[in-house]
Amino acid sequence: MSLSAEIKVIRKKAFLSQAEFAKELNVVYSTVNRWENDKGRPNPAAMKAIKEFCDKNSISYVDLETAWITESIN
């Protein structure tokens, strides 16, 4: 699955809107929107925040991490 799709899956597993997810990660809504629409990608600091969010909410982070690494290589 793509990076954008993995981010959306994590957000939906937490039953959050894009705005609520953005608030949890301390980013603005438009940032999450860009990530989910494949118009941008999380930087390392944002990936760390997403990982912490996943750990706190018992959501798997492995597929997102794999997609992020794979897409950064290509």
Side-chain angles (χ1 to χ4, degrees):
M1 203 177 314
S2 70
L3 178 65
S4 58
E6 291 293 347
I7 292 169
K8 192 172 197 173
V9 166
I10 288 170
R11 177 178 62 81
K12 288 187 172 269
K13 283 183 177 180
F15 301 101
L16 297 175
S17 67
Q18 287 183 341
E20 292 166 331
F21 189 51
K23 186 175 181 179
E24 288 284 329
L25 301 177
N26 292 318
V27 298
V28 295
Y29 155 81
S30 60
T31 299
V32 173
N33 186 270
R34 282 193 307 271
W35 293 343
E36 289 188 7
N37 289 298
D38 209 18
K39 303 289 184 194
R41 47 180 284 128
N43 62 27
M47 287 298 290
K48 184 176 179 182
I50 295 169
K51 181 179 186 332
E52 290 170 359
F53 173 84
C54 289
D55 290 345
K56 180 176 84 173
N57 292 283
S58 300
I59 298 171
S60 176
Y61 174 79
V62 175
D63 293 337
L64 175 65
E65 181 179 42
T66 301
W68 188 76
I69 291 169
T70 301
E71 290 186 19
S72 65
I73 293 171
N74 295 332

